[in-house]
Amino acid sequence: MEEQIINLLRNTWKTQTNAVSEYFSKNADDFYSQEIAPGRNKATYILGHLIATNDGLLPLLGFGDKLYPELDQYFTPNTPWHYDEFPPVAELKAKWDTLNQYLEKQFDTLTPGQWLERHTKVSPEDFALDPKRNKLNVFIGRTNHTSYHLGQLNILKN
Amino acid sequence: MEEQIINLLRNTWKTQTNAVSEYFSKNADDFYSQEIAPGRNKATYILGHLIATNDGLLPLLGFGDKLYPELDQYFTPNTPWHYDEFPPVAELKAKWDTLNQYLEKQFDTLTPGQWLERHTKVSPEDFALDPKRNKLNVFIGRTNHTSYHLGQLNILKN
């Protein structure tokens, strides 16, 4: 039964991830340099932020280093950044696709029991006190994080 | 193990739902009559839409009739509506809170096996072909739907 539920969750992840890919496939790259609303983030910023965030799943779930640590300077919260230094949209789209394919392969390796093990940022002692701090919970949270920003992207009519 | 996973999912639902409640508790009611971005939905519209959508879980998951069917005329997609006929924000906030408490009580009654049973809009024959069309999958989808609109609400700085 737990395998069935994890498959539902992985499908939901894919649906949200694919919806982001589709959003960025509808228009010429220039379109996505627009702000989603006056004075708010550009669509490209949100894409970069989603890459940097989901890339962080690799170390957090114990799969190794980030693929694109060079993006952190632009796209993780509380780092100073300037729009004119942004990586080009085409580069971000390619990294988004490569990251997603790579993550799927890593996710495939986990058994249901392993999904429920602690993630790498919680100590065994803290995990014993709060077993919700497992890999699957991080995955569920990141899926909702993608949905959150997808809602914002769709403010900019595509 | 499946009970543990369902608890994670129920926690995520609560986190997203509470974040919406918190969003609407920060300012005077008038504030939420603003559009989240020029020409886009008002924050109150999104709240009404979340109520109407989540209220739909009652019939869909087999818990009975909607609590607030009168909201459908305003807040379900493809219905004509006019902002000046909207229910007041205070009324929507009260209905949101009541609905959430009521839903929690209903969710409490389901065993893991029941969460994986078909929802009421799929026939036994279609469910046999695609067992993903179960109650839990609807619940996961609705959680992400709340996150999607929460991202939009946060475009309007609160």
Side-chain angles (χ1 to χ4, degrees):
Chain A
M1 200 182 293
E2 58 272 10
E3 187 132 16
Q4 191 183 349
I5 300 175
I6 288 168
N7 284 337
L8 295 179
L9 290 167
R10 291 207 41 200
N11 274 328
T12 306
W13 167 279
K14 277 181 226 168
T15 305
Q16 302 307 308
T17 301
N18 290 344
V20 171
S21 305
E22 198 186 339
Y23 179 87
F24 284 97
S25 73
K26 283 189 182 165
N27 275 288
D29 285 354
D30 278 358
F31 177 86
Y32 303 102
S33 301
Q34 294 180 78
E35 295 173 343
I36 54 166
R40 307 310 302 262
N41 287 322
K42 295 183 179 192
T44 48
Y45 177 82
I46 293 178
L47 179 59
H49 170 66
L50 289 172
I51 298 168
T53 304
N54 290 354
D55 200 7
L57 287 177
L58 293 173
L60 194 54
L61 303 190
F63 297 131
D65 294 333
K66 280 185 143 194
L67 296 189
Y68 308 118
E70 71 278 10
L71 295 183
D72 287 356
Q73 61 183 312
Y74 305 111
F75 299 118
T76 54
N78 305 319
T79 50
W81 48 268
H82 303 283
Y83 274 142
D84 53 4
E85 295 169 6
F86 259 29
V89 182
E91 178 188 325
L92 293 175
K93 285 168 66 171
K95 288 183 173 175
W96 173 249
D97 288 341
T98 303
L99 174 66
N100 288 327
Q101 287 167 31
Y102 189 77
L103 282 170
E104 290 295 335
K105 280 188 204 152
Q106 306 305 315
F107 298 153
D108 283 344
T109 66
L110 294 180
T111 63
Q114 288 171 325
W115 273 111
L116 292 175
E117 288 173 1
R118 70 185 170 93
H119 62 69
T120 61
K121 295 240 173 104
V122 63
S123 69
E125 296 75 22
D126 288 344
F127 184 63
L129 295 172
D130 185 3
K132 282 197 306 297
R133 301 177 73 177
N134 56 47
K135 294 175 181 182
L136 191 64
N137 207 26
V138 170
F139 180 74
I140 295 167
R142 290 291 163 91
T143 305
N144 279 272
H145 177 259
T146 300
S147 303
Y148 179 99
H149 287 296
L150 185 62
Q152 297 184 329
L153 288 170
N154 281 323
I155 297 289
L156 176 64
K157 290 194 185 189
N158 202 350
Chain B
M1 199 183 292
E2 58 272 10
E3 187 133 14
Q4 191 183 348
I5 301 175
I6 287 168
N7 284 337
L8 295 178
L9 290 167
R10 291 206 42 200
N11 274 329
T12 305
W13 166 279
K14 277 181 226 167
T15 305
Q16 301 308 307
T17 301
N18 290 345
V20 170
S21 304
E22 199 186 338
Y23 179 88
F24 283 97
S25 72
K26 283 189 182 164
N27 274 288
D29 285 354
D30 278 358
F31 177 86
Y32 303 102
S33 301
Q34 293 180 80
E35 294 172 343
I36 54 166
R40 306 310 303 262
N41 287 323
K42 294 183 178 190
T44 47
Y45 177 81
I46 293 179
L47 179 59
H49 170 66
L50 288 172
I51 299 168
T53 305
N54 290 354
D55 200 7
L57 286 177
L58 294 173
L60 195 53
L61 303 189
F63 297 132
D65 293 333
K66 281 186 142 192
L67 295 188
Y68 307 120
E70 71 278 9
L71 295 183
D72 287 356
Q73 62 182 313
Y74 305 110
F75 299 118
T76 55
N78 305 319
T79 50
W81 49 266
H82 303 282
Y83 272 141
D84 54 3
E85 294 170 6
F86 259 30
V89 182
E91 177 187 325
L92 292 174
K93 286 168 65 172
K95 288 184 172 174
W96 173 250
D97 289 341
T98 303
L99 173 66
N100 288 327
Q101 289 168 29
Y102 189 77
L103 282 170
E104 290 295 335
K105 280 188 204 151
Q106 306 303 316
F107 297 154
D108 283 344
T109 65
L110 294 180
T111 63
Q114 288 171 324
W115 273 110
L116 293 175
E117 289 173 359
R118 71 186 169 93
H119 62 69
T120 61
K121 294 240 174 102
V122 62
S123 68
E125 296 75 22
D126 287 343
F127 184 63
L129 295 173
D130 185 2
K132 284 198 305 297
R133 302 177 72 177
N134 56 48
K135 294 175 182 181
L136 190 63
N137 207 27
V138 170
F139 181 74
I140 294 167
R142 290 291 163 89
T143 306
N144 279 273
H145 177 259
T146 300
S147 303
Y148 179 100
H149 287 296
L150 185 61
Q152 297 184 329
L153 288 171
N154 280 324
I155 297 289
L156 176 64
K157 289 193 186 189
N158 201 351

